[in-house]
Amino acid sequence: MRILISNDDGVNTPGIAALHQALADYAECVVIAPGEDRSGASSALTLDRPLHPMALANGYISLNGTPTDCVHLGLNGLLEQTPDMVVSGINLGANLGDDVLYSGTVAAALEGRFLSKPAFAFSLLSRLPDNLPTAAYFARKLVEAHERLELPPRTVLNVNVPNLPLEHIRGVQLTRLGHRARAAAPVKVVNPRGKEGYWIAAAGDVEDGSQGTDFHAVMQGYVSITPLRLDRTFNEALETMDGWLEGIF
């Protein structure tokens, strides 16, 4: 089996090295990742300039693009053989609830939705790498177990691992996405020449972290696994909108 590994933190970060090490003796792995931090890039594709892959001394491929660019090229001709699966991470920082809308880690996995096997996105709930071995352990176990899954095509599994040593993890739970409140207001800054700018502020607080959500699971010490799909159609709303269209045309 061939696995394409990517992330949004960058090709030289400890999370992607830990993920590659965890999977390298399980499958043929190739790493294609952004040359710099592209957190928050979501599913952006670079369309205004060419992308230039660069092979690094460790065998990884660095790309001057987004996480989605990396997987897109990896699945569409950059590699001699098409991968069977995409695995993204290990992100240093959570990707819970509404975070999946912005996450480059999740977006890289979503770009792997065309393959026959499910894609995985792995995140550790810390900006520090101390407990990366915990996340790497679950990455290996879950990817190994993928053949027992019966999932519809284009399914992505979003996995969040508490920032705990392995012996303190209480288990694994299947969850739904929770929800955050609105983010804090952007922070206004003025440079020495008087030009105004804004920093995007912290994500909103947890608004729905009830039992069954990914927020609740990780706060209780469980690894959270949330199946995602790209189709965002609000099917229930379709049933109530017929009358609204009457008389429009």
Side-chain angles (χ1 to χ4, degrees):
M1 188 172 74
R2 293 179 294 277
I3 295 177
L4 173 57
I5 296 174
S6 193
N7 74 352
D8 71 356
D9 287 341
V11 71
N12 294 310
T13 51
I16 203 165
L19 182 58
H20 180 258
Q21 184 177 9
L23 299 176
D25 65 346
Y26 168 71
E28 178 186 341
C29 296
V30 60
V31 173
I32 309 176
E36 58 185 16
D37 188 347
R38 296 304 303 267
S39 297
S42 189
S43 290
L45 283 171
T46 300
L47 303 177
D48 60 347
R49 56 183 170 81
L51 299 168
H52 300 288
M54 182 174 64
L56 305 182
N58 61 1
Y60 296 0
I61 297 173
S62 175
L63 192 73
N64 61 326
T66 68
T68 300
D69 289 332
C70 295
V71 177
H72 187 82
L73 262 64
L75 299 186
N76 295 288
L78 180 62
L79 304 176
E80 292 184 4
Q81 294 181 300
T82 302
D84 300 301
M85 173 187 286
V86 172
V87 181
S88 180
I90 298 167
N91 191 67
L92 291 181
N95 279 304
L96 299 162
D98 301 316
D99 300 344
V100 302
L101 293 172
Y102 311 105
S103 167
T105 302
V106 174
L110 285 170
E111 191 65 14
R113 66 191 179 276
F114 303 103
L115 303 178
S116 60
K117 297 181 183 297
F120 288 84
F122 291 98
S123 301
L124 176 68
L125 273 69
S126 176
R127 297 294 180 185
L128 300 175
D130 302 44
N131 287 309
L132 269 176
T134 303
Y137 171 86
F138 283 104
R140 173 59 180 261
K141 288 291 187 180
L142 292 171
V143 171
E144 275 186 331
H146 81 275
E147 292 184 359
R148 302 201 305 270
L149 283 169
E150 295 184 7
L151 292 170
R154 303 192 175 201
T155 301
V156 173
L157 297 178
N158 185 41
V159 182
N160 282 272
V161 180
N163 182 35
L164 296 169
L166 181 59
E167 61 270 21
H168 292 165
I169 296 291
R170 297 180 63 188
V172 182
Q173 289 187 353
L174 295 174
T175 59
R176 65 175 176 86
L177 294 177
H179 296 288
R180 293 188 185 275
R182 290 178 60 177
V187 179
K188 181 178 177 179
V189 294
V190 181
N191 73 13
R193 293 175 179 80
K195 186 174 182 179
E196 296 180 355
Y198 293 87
W199 282 101
I200 297 294
D205 294 332
V206 178
E207 189 171 64
D208 176 11
S210 57
Q211 188 168 358
T213 66
D214 47 4
F215 286 112
H216 186 272
V218 296
M219 290 302 103
Q220 299 299 314
Y222 291 90
V223 174
S224 165
I225 304 178
T226 306
L228 306 177
R229 62 181 179 181
L230 188 63
D231 184 359
R232 298 180 184 175
T233 306
F234 188 4
N235 291 292
E236 292 81 358
L238 292 174
E239 300 172 3
T240 66
M241 293 177 69
D242 287 341
W244 175 67
L245 292 177
E246 292 179 5
I248 288 181
F249 184 74

